[in-house]
Amino acid sequence: PVAVGCVAGDAESYILFCDFFDRVIEAYHEQKITSQTPESDLNYDNLKGGDDLDRSYAVRCEVSVVRGIEDFCFPTHCSRGERRRLLTLARQALQQLEQELAGRLLLLTDSSQEQQSELNLKAPTSFQLRIGVARDWPDARAVWVSENRSLLVWVNIDEHLRLVSMREDANVAEAFQCICISLQKLEKYYRGLRHPFIWKQQLGWVTSSPANVGTGLRISVLIKLQHLPTHKHLKDVLKRLRINMDKTDSPELYNISNMATFGFTEVALTQLVVDGVKLLTIMEKRLEGNLSIDELVPAQK
Ligand SMILES: *[C@@H]1O[C@H](CO)[C@@H](O)[C@H](O)[C@H]1NC(C)=O
Ligand SMILES: *[C@@H]1O[C@H](CO)[C@@H](O)[C@H](O)[C@H]1NC(C)=O
Ligand SMILES: *[C@@H]1O[C@H](CO)[C@@H](O)[C@H](O)[C@H]1NC(C)=O
């Protein structure tokens, strides 16, 4: 797997050390940084399909987005005091969200092991320990959970904020819509609290990892595949579709996600994953019938 191998301590680092970070960003996202402002599109109505994935293959999906909060160092470098102030801000913003979407904030220090595993929260990884985001764990870490579980908001876990929408019905359109709506609301509330989300000219939204600049958006779908993972054209197909395919704990389940977060709008990134999953499913079906997929290999996106 491709990893960036570095993180920023604060947003200013991207400007101060741009000679370094710009190269990392361009290499990871396979996209040139230009003087143009990155385009954004959170209008979920522009997404074509996504509620129509073949359920015999697609079993689960997850859309998540990360944001940094202006005036604070990233979790890789922030002090304990900053982290606690970020939690206070999150509490204020999320209280406003609760007026429209019922939910509650759960502090990691107050939550049981069962609650944490139910929310898919794991102990810090060795990578997280190395890059500093796990300092003082679990102090000032929290998860906000909507009552019907459609939305999770991680506070100070790996970034200042991470919104997650998971669905067992693999309905990417619904998950994407949930993220777009909640993200825009939180953006408004944070701006009202005079700590907007961190946005940089030319780069778009930035957080500690160069792997997430631009949109901060990850769309992933778990699909059942048997034949395609060993096919000789697989690497080429994934590269051209601009998607990743990662192994999971179960042998026949693969995690398909967007390769880059920079250089495409939010809708375009989601479209890449939706269209990619559909094509991979068609290929898998052809391989099941012993048919060739040579003529289905797409052009570079
Ligand atoms: C797929 O992998 C990404 C990281 O590469 C992870 O964030 C996501 O949760 C995984 N998706 C699912 C549906 O498990
Ligand atoms: C959760 O509630 C929100 C707001 O009422 C609604 O839009 C959404 O469809 C619900 N999601 C689920 C999974 O029930
Ligand atoms: C595909 O080929 C395999 C091995 O050659 C054979 O066992 C299987 O029945 C074939 N499947 C179809 C659908 O023709």
Side-chain angles (χ1 to χ4, degrees):
V2 180
V4 289
C6 60
V7 284
D10 61 12
E12 204 47 33
S13 302
Y14 284 105
I15 310 302
L16 224 51
F17 307 113
C18 63
D19 291 343
F20 172 75
F21 277 115
D22 282 3
R23 280 191 204 169
V24 173
I25 292 166
E26 290 184 341
Y28 180 86
H29 299 272
E30 294 181 5
Q31 200 79 37
K32 277 262 168 264
I33 295 172
T34 66
S35 57
Q36 277 179 337
T37 304
E39 281 179 53
S40 171
D41 185 3
L42 287 172
N43 184 354
Y44 44 84
D45 286 332
N46 292 339
L47 182 70
K48 296 182 192 70
D51 55 351
D52 55 353
L53 299 181
D54 189 333
R55 293 294 313 281
S56 354
Y57 294 85
V59 299
R60 214 164 86 86
C61 75
E62 183 182 305
V63 175
S64 89
V65 68
V66 285
R67 286 291 183 265
I69 311 298
E70 198 70 71
D71 305 317
F72 294 93
C73 292
F74 292 140
T76 42
H77 186 63
C78 72
S79 67
R80 189 182 291 203
E82 278 182 291
R83 205 182 293 114
R84 289 182 178 177
R85 288 215 305 285
L86 281 158
L87 177 61
T88 305
L89 270 177
R91 194 177 262 128
Q92 292 168 335
L94 289 165
Q95 265 163 10
Q96 295 183 59
L97 185 68
E98 277 168 27
Q99 287 164 12
E100 296 163 72
L101 184 62
R104 67 192 185 100
L105 190 71
L106 189 75
L107 296 182
L108 250 56
T109 41
D110 297 345
S111 67
S112 67
Q113 210 65 49
E114 293 90 72
Q115 278 174 315
Q116 294 188 17
S117 64
E118 210 181 301
L119 294 172
N120 226 348
L121 279 173
K122 302 184 178 83
T125 61
S126 61
F127 174 70
Q128 286 176 324
L129 288 166
R130 276 203 303 278
I131 62 173
V133 307
R135 285 166 302 129
D136 308 317
W137 192 272
D139 185 69
R141 270 75 171 193
V143 185
W144 183 88
V145 194
S146 73
E147 207 162 59
N148 66 11
R149 299 274 166 140
S150 58
L151 177 72
L152 301 180
V153 182
W154 295 10
V155 181
N156 291 332
I157 306 263
D158 60 340
E159 295 290 354
H160 291 158
L161 279 185
R162 177 185 289 276
L163 281 66
V164 187
S165 179
M166 280 183 267
R167 296 187 65 99
E168 301 298 328
D169 62 0
N171 189 332
V172 176
E174 281 285 341
F176 181 58
Q177 175 173 345
C178 170
I179 289 296
C180 292
I181 293 174
S182 320
L183 180 67
Q184 285 172 301
K185 284 183 181 164
L186 282 174
E187 188 188 350
K188 186 176 77 189
Y189 303 148
Y190 270 91
R191 215 182 304 118
L193 294 164
R194 294 202 272 144
H195 289 281
F197 293 161
I198 304 172
W199 189 90
K200 295 284 176 205
Q201 196 70 41
Q202 299 178 16
L203 295 180
W205 305 106
V206 297
T207 53
S208 71
S209 175
N212 291 328
V213 303
T215 59
L217 187 70
R218 251 335 122 191
I219 306 100
S220 64
V221 181
L222 288 191
I223 62 173
K224 264 188 246 165
L225 295 174
Q226 237 181 316
H227 303 88
L228 199 53
T230 53
H231 197 276
K232 62 176 193 294
H233 288 328
L234 179 72
K235 239 179 113 182
D236 221 22
V237 169
L238 295 175
K239 196 171 160 51
R240 292 182 184 192
L241 293 174
R242 298 185 64 95
I243 54 179
N244 288 331
M245 178 161 129
D246 299 314
K247 288 194 172 118
T248 65
D249 295 338
S250 12
E252 280 182 15
L253 276 189
Y254 291 84
N255 181 343
I256 308 298
S257 60
N258 50 313
M259 193 198 83
T261 59
F262 178 71
F264 292 86
T265 68
E266 291 83 354
V267 168
L269 285 173
T270 311
Q271 197 72 60
L272 281 179
V273 176
V274 166
D275 295 347
V277 166
K278 285 182 182 174
L279 185 60
L280 295 186
T281 307
I282 291 171
M283 289 178 161
E284 177 71 12
K285 285 180 183 168
R286 283 187 67 91
L287 293 173
E288 281 167 9
N290 289 346
L291 299 168
S292 156
I293 58 166
D294 289 359
E295 69 273 28
L296 291 178
V297 175
Q300 180 70 49
K301 291 219 181 193

